[in-house]
Amino acid sequence: MGNLIPSAKVNILANHKVWLEDNAIQQLHTTAQLAHIRAAVGLPDLHAGRGYPIGAAFFSTEHFYPALVGGDIGCGMALWQTDLLRHKVSGRKLAKQLGNIDGSLSGDDLQAAADAVQQLLAQHALRHDYASLPLDAHSMTASVGTIGGGNHFAELLQTDTVYDSDTAPDPSRVYLLVHSGSRGLGGAILREHVEQYGHHGLQAASTAASAYLAQHNTALAYAKLNRDWIAKRILAAWKTPARCLLDIHHNHVLPARINGCDGYLHRKGATPSDQGWVMVPGSRGDYSYLLAPTDSSEYLYSLAHGAGRKWARQDCYGRLSGKYTAQDLHQTRFGSTVVCGDKGLLFEEAPAAYKNVDAVVMTLVEAGLCRLIARYKPMLTYKKGDSACC
DNA sequence: ATGTCC
């Protein structure tokens, strides 16, 4: 026989309750066969992506793959506890109070964002003067505080069930969950990388690897800055103080030591289990779970990052337009309000397009990877302003 | 996913 490539260990966390698409499993195995990949994990929200699966983590040695992180470097979830009391607010009223937040920040906020971007660029240049960013400061500033498209959202939540009353956050308050990323920056970094190196990845001990990691780390910081400003502008509109409970990236590649072996841990739609509590959101018509990770060492220190798609975006309108009007989709089974001025997105992100989050989360719990802290249900989900053109 | 490909 020919050369034996040391095969990566592939571990899929699933059971009869969660449906995994064959194509996604195929993508996981194919990706696991790339050179230098030592371990691959599929979480219960695993679904097919553009060549590489989402809801997956990969560990490699001596080499890493920017393409596995994808274009939205630094995408993640931030959870804020507001001072608003749940029995005193309505999602509909707060939606009206919020108005349209699709555009750039303005006034003092825009200036503050510009200063923050300059500081980010200065730190980047100071440490990595050989790796300029493929997006200018003006564009980066313009996107700060904007949610973006796809599966990104901002959501107002109320507590539905408390599982751990000693540690769960105050159930009388309402919570703000922000899911967004590095907007145009991450995509530009990946595009430039792929133009130069294709999908072969990078030798870790190379200048190109250092340059990519410098850009990647800046994108992580920029994505967090973006989530911070999305929350700030919403909280300002609602006139409430708030504190950030967590802010965790689920798309990144980090140096890691796994089973005594130094290498790189790629997460693509996989939530770190070694950074404190995490929030796993369902669709906008389903619950979100606050979880305390326990031991995920068998699964590359990762948890599901959401419910996971069940239907491809392009199939949603065809499957749902006979059953629902756009108007129907502006509210959910919980009676929560959906702000989405983009009709295509309204259908693509319909609750029916996603798997059952209870099954996904229970699979994590039953495997011993985490315990439940509390469950939340949406009052308002903001995707795109109502005046958005479509 | 996307200062989105025409």
Side-chain angles (χ1 to χ4, degrees):
Chain A
M1 295 293 284
N3 291 335
L4 284 176
I5 299 167
S7 63
K9 188 179 167 193
V10 178
N11 209 354
I12 298 178
L13 176 54
N15 59 28
H16 63 282
K17 292 179 209 159
V18 291
W19 173 79
L20 295 184
E21 167 196 7
D22 290 344
N23 191 24
I25 294 170
Q26 185 55 54
Q27 283 186 341
L28 186 73
H29 284 281
T30 304
T31 307
Q33 282 165 20
L34 291 173
H36 311 282
I37 299 278
R38 306 298 175 207
V41 159
L43 284 315
D45 60 334
L46 185 76
H47 58 281
R50 283 195 166 187
Y52 309 106
I54 299 154
F58 301 92
F59 180 67
S60 63
T61 52
E62 295 162 5
H63 201 95
F64 65 84
Y65 295 88
L68 293 192
V69 178
D72 196 2
I73 303 163
C75 187
M77 300 286 172
L79 180 65
W80 294 70
Q81 176 175 347
T82 77
D83 277 6
L84 299 173
L85 292 165
R86 74 166 162 188
H87 58 269
K88 289 201 170 179
V89 298
S90 90
R92 196 181 290 260
K93 279 185 192 164
L94 287 176
K96 207 168 269 182
Q97 209 170 310
L98 187 56
N100 187 311
I101 52 164
D102 299 340
S104 297
L105 297 168
S106 58
D108 291 347
D109 286 351
L110 184 62
Q111 188 54 56
D115 292 347
V117 166
Q118 280 306 335
Q119 197 180 336
L120 224 141
L121 295 177
Q123 285 168 355
H124 180 87
L126 193 68
R127 282 179 287 175
H128 313 283
D129 58 355
Y130 50 84
S132 63
L133 289 169
L135 197 65
D136 60 273
H138 180 265
S139 301
M140 284 176 66
T141 301
S143 290
V144 171
T146 64
I147 293 169
N151 57 358
H152 292 170
F153 63 82
E155 193 161 84
L156 174 74
L157 296 160
Q158 62 176 308
T159 304
D160 176 78
T161 308
V162 170
Y163 303 99
D164 184 342
S165 54
D166 291 338
T167 59
D170 185 352
S172 68
R173 306 291 169 173
V174 297
Y175 294 82
L176 174 64
L177 180 64
V178 175
H179 178 204
S180 188
S182 56
R183 309 293 279 103
L185 177 62
I189 292 170
L190 179 65
R191 200 175 313 121
E192 195 177 75
H193 166 80
V194 170
E195 275 166 15
Q196 200 168 355
Y197 300 97
H199 286 240
H200 304 293
L202 298 167
Q203 190 67 42
S206 65
T207 307
S210 304
Y212 171 80
L213 289 175
Q215 294 184 333
H216 162 281
N217 292 344
T218 302
L220 295 189
Y222 177 69
K224 184 184 183 317
L225 178 75
N226 184 37
R227 286 189 292 272
D228 278 346
W229 274 102
I230 291 167
K232 268 191 215 181
R233 79 194 297 188
I234 293 172
L235 296 163
W238 292 345
K239 303 184 191 337
T240 177
R243 68 189 179 97
C244 186
L245 301 183
L246 59 91
D247 186 312
I248 294 179
H249 305 295
H250 50 230
N251 290 349
H252 59 203
V253 53
L254 302 176
R257 193 176 178 84
I258 305 282
N259 292 336
C261 196
D262 287 320
Y264 290 83
L265 179 53
H266 310 65
R267 290 191 180 97
K268 172 64 173 171
T271 299
S273 67
D274 53 0
Q275 297 177 18
W277 284 4
V278 303
M279 189 72 154
V280 176
S283 72
R284 69 191 183 211
D286 209 341
Y287 299 106
S288 294
Y289 285 87
L290 184 59
L291 305 173
T294 46
D295 180 14
S296 303
S297 53
E298 284 295 302
Y299 293 93
L300 294 175
Y301 302 92
S302 300
L303 299 167
H305 82 310
R309 289 199 77 83
K310 190 169 67 184
W311 297 345
R313 291 185 176 282
Q314 61 269 25
D315 298 338
C316 294
Y317 188 78
R319 284 177 179 264
L320 294 170
S321 59
K323 201 171 172 185
Y324 302 108
T325 65
Q327 196 52 45
D328 296 333
L329 295 176
H330 279 101
Q331 53 260 318
T332 71
R333 65 184 177 113
F334 294 129
S336 63
T337 302
V338 176
V339 178
C340 186
D342 181 328
K343 193 178 168 191
L345 197 56
L346 194 61
F347 281 87
E348 287 175 11
E349 291 290 311
Y354 283 85
K355 295 190 223 180
N356 180 321
V357 72
D358 295 350
V360 168
V361 168
M362 288 318 143
T363 301
L364 300 174
V365 172
E366 285 165 17
L369 307 195
C370 58
R371 60 189 181 84
L372 303 174
I373 300 298
R375 182 168 89 163
Y376 300 85
K377 65 178 180 183
M379 301 174 73
L380 162 66
T381 304
Y382 186 102
K383 298 284 295 176
K384 278 245 188 299
D386 272 326
S387 61
C389 172
C390 43

